[in-house]
């Protein structure tokens, strides 16, 4: 608990520090000191705005998940290339409801964003109580298989990382 | 040698970026209904700008002989905001009952 | 090699912006127009960055960053306005 009070949001602190250094685009002593000070101070004074701090179980898994998503984004765009330039008659657009079993709102947000960035799917609505997502797919010949794929590839990993 | 390699990487990234952005915009222009058009900009255009900005980061790192990574901030920002803006615009469209093409299957809110 | 590639990339980006403009004027729904504007600002970031590479100037980065931030806020604000203005059922 003692650690909590002087460093309420370690991930946000790290994030702010990285953003500061990137924005300044140098790594001089002054930049690092001021960055460290701001990164520590801002989360402390804005604590009241952060009702719950997202909990990351394993930074390494999070990093691997980000690499996986990055790879999928590139792959998804290759697929989108073909879909967009091909005949539109061959597309199978569909609305899909995807049940989810994540509880943490932050984890749901990450899942929804990941789905929006990858293969032909955009999250349109998050159901009340975060139990399902409404997804629009550009080309889904088999909606059930798509849901199974999304669940296996992203949801289980996000569940491992955040819950 | 090093210069050639970097020049090649930058040129390839620039071309790939422009191609992705163009394809995203073609999707926006030619796909038949709003929800299908939504897919082009959210994915292809974002990645296109990502590639272009990455090329810029490589180029200026090489030109100025240091590491110039602040362009990555733009990529980071775009990749975080693209799904959010797609989501809000899509919700607005859903609430306004924007028409979808007759080929779209399944409308879960109807049953 | 870069000097040869940049004009090609600039031409492709300009074509992309023209296609966005087509969608902006054509509509037909207001959400299509918002989406077109959203895509236009993202493409214009790429255009600005390309111009920066061509000029060999890193200073243009701040402009690109500002457009990214303001464009996102604009899109979300207009979409939110539409959501509040017309609520179903």
């Amino acid at each position: 608990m003692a650690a909590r009070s002087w460093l309420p949001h370690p991930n946000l602190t790290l994030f702010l520090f990285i953003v500061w250094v990137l924005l300044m685009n140098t790594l001089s002593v002054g930049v690092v000191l001021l960055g460290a000070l701001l990164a520590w101070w801002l989360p402390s004074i804005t604590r009241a705005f952060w009702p719950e701090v997202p909990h990351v179980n394993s930074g390494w898994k999070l990093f691997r998940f980000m690499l996986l998503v990055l790879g999928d984004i590139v792959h998804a765009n290759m697929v989108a290339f073909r879909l967009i330039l091909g005949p539109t008659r061959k597309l199978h657009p569909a609305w899909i409801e995807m049940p989810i079993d994540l509880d943490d709102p932050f984890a749901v947000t990450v899942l929804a964003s990941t789905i929006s960035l990858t293969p032909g799917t955009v999250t349109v609505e998050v159901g009340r109580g975060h139990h399902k997502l409404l997804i629009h797919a550009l080309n889904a010949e088999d909606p059930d298989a798509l849901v199974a794929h999304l669940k296996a590839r992203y949801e289980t990993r996000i569940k491992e990382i955040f819950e | 040698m090093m210069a050639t390699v970097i020049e090649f990487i930058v040129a390839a990234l620039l071309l790939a970026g422009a191609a992705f952005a163009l394809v995203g915009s073609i999707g926006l222009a030619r796909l038949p209904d709003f929800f299908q058009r939504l897919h082009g900009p959210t994915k292809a255009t974002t990645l296109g700008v990502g590639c272009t900005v990455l090329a810029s980061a490589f180029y200026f790192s090489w030109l100025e002989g240091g590491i110039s990574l602040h362009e990555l901030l733009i990529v980071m920002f775009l990749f975080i905001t693209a799904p959010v803006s797609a989501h809000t615009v899509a919700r607005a469209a859903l609430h306004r009952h924007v028409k979808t093409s007759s080929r779209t299957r399944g409308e879960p809110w109807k049953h | 090699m870069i000097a040869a590639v940049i004009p090609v990339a600039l031409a492709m980006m300009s074509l992309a912006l023209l296609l966005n403009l087509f969608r902006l004027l054509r509509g037909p729904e207001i959400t299509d127009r918002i989406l077109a504007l959203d895509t236009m600002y993202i493409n214009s970031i790429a255009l600005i960055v390309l111009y920066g590479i061509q000029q060999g100037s890193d200073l243009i980065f701040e402009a690109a960053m500002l457009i990214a931030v303001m464009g996102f806020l604009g899109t979300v604000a207009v979409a939110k306005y539409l959501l509040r203005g017309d609520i179903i059922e």
Side-chain angles (χ1 to χ4, degrees):
Chain A
M1 258 301 131
R4 270 290 153 80
S5 54
W6 70 268
L7 196 65
H9 202 327
N11 297 326
L12 180 64
T13 300
L14 184 65
F15 181 73
L16 282 176
F17 181 71
I18 292 172
V19 168
W20 179 260
V21 172
L22 284 179
L23 200 59
M24 290 291 132
N25 209 22
T26 46
L27 207 61
S28 67
V29 181
V31 165
V32 169
L33 277 182
L34 191 57
L37 186 70
L38 283 175
W40 163 76
W41 190 55
L42 289 178
S44 314
I45 58 167
T46 55
R47 232 163 127 183
F49 314 157
W50 298 88
E52 47 203 288
V53 177
H55 177 72
V56 177
N57 289 325
S58 156
W60 173 237
K61 273 187 181 158
L62 180 64
F63 180 68
R64 278 200 358 218
F65 179 71
M66 281 161 80
L67 285 186
L68 175 91
V69 171
L70 212 60
D72 281 5
I73 289 173
V74 175
H75 175 248
N77 276 287
M78 302 297 180
V79 176
F81 235 96
R82 201 163 39 80
L83 291 180
I84 288 174
L85 296 179
T88 54
R89 281 174 289 106
K90 281 196 182 159
L91 295 177
H92 299 275
W95 290 102
I96 302 167
E97 241 179 347
M98 174 177 166
I100 46 174
D101 42 35
L102 296 169
D103 295 320
D104 186 37
F106 186 73
V108 175
T109 312
V110 173
L111 179 64
S113 298
T114 309
I115 286 174
S116 289
L117 280 174
T118 46
T121 45
V122 171
T123 308
V124 175
E125 187 98 75
V126 180
R128 281 192 195 286
H130 308 145
H131 294 309
K132 57 190 178 189
L133 298 177
L134 178 61
I135 299 170
H136 184 272
L138 182 55
N139 187 28
E141 292 185 35
D142 184 358
D144 294 332
L146 183 65
V147 168
H149 170 77
L150 291 175
K151 281 184 96 70
R153 198 162 174 86
Y154 305 120
E155 193 184 2
T156 48
R157 287 188 169 86
I158 289 176
K159 204 172 173 62
E160 272 178 28
I161 295 168
F162 292 106
E163 287 183 3
Chain B
M1 183 59 209
M2 192 61 193
T4 324
V5 171
I6 288 188
E7 223 176 284
F8 182 75
I9 293 174
V10 171
L13 278 173
L14 283 178
L15 276 185
F20 279 127
L22 183 58
V23 166
S25 299
I26 291 175
L28 180 69
R30 85 181 272 257
L31 290 177
D33 75 36
F34 170 77
F35 288 100
Q36 294 181 40
R37 292 199 270 270
L38 189 58
H39 292 280
T42 41
K43 298 177 203 52
T45 308
T46 312
L47 186 66
V49 178
C51 289
T52 308
V53 170
L54 208 60
S56 160
F58 267 114
Y59 181 70
F60 285 109
S61 299
W62 168 59
L63 198 70
E64 285 158 19
I67 299 177
S68 172
L69 289 177
H70 62 179
E71 283 91 347
L72 289 186
L73 268 185
I74 299 181
V75 186
M76 202 155 81
F77 187 80
L78 281 180
F79 272 88
I80 294 173
T81 57
V84 178
S85 51
H87 173 73
T88 32
V89 177
R91 273 189 69 185
L94 202 60
H95 281 244
R96 292 178 67 88
H97 298 281
V98 168
K99 284 194 188 67
T100 53
S101 89
S102 54
R103 303 170 41 81
T104 310
R105 283 171 303 167
E107 297 194 328
W109 59 91
K110 287 225 173 114
H111 41 75
Chain C
M1 187 161 26
I2 295 175
V5 160
I6 284 178
V8 179
L10 278 172
M12 285 161 93
M13 281 295 171
S14 310
L15 185 60
L17 277 166
L18 280 177
L19 287 169
N20 298 342
L21 188 64
F22 162 75
R23 184 48 72 194
L24 178 67
L25 297 176
R26 177 81 189 280
E29 298 283 343
I30 182 98
T31 43
D32 285 302
R33 298 181 212 274
I34 300 174
L35 193 61
L37 275 177
D38 188 67
T39 318
M40 275 181 111
Y41 92 73
I42 297 180
N43 280 334
S44 63
I45 294 173
L47 207 59
I48 287 177
V49 171
L50 274 171
Y51 181 71
I53 297 180
Q54 194 187 28
Q55 298 292 311
S57 155
D58 211 3
L59 290 173
I60 233 146
F61 159 80
E62 266 78 16
M65 190 75 209
L66 267 180
I67 293 180
V69 176
M70 300 307 260
F72 168 67
L73 289 181
T75 306
V76 170
V78 178
K80 272 283 169 199
Y81 171 73
L82 287 182
L83 269 177
R84 279 173 58 108
D86 187 354
I87 299 165
I88 47 162
E89 282 135 37

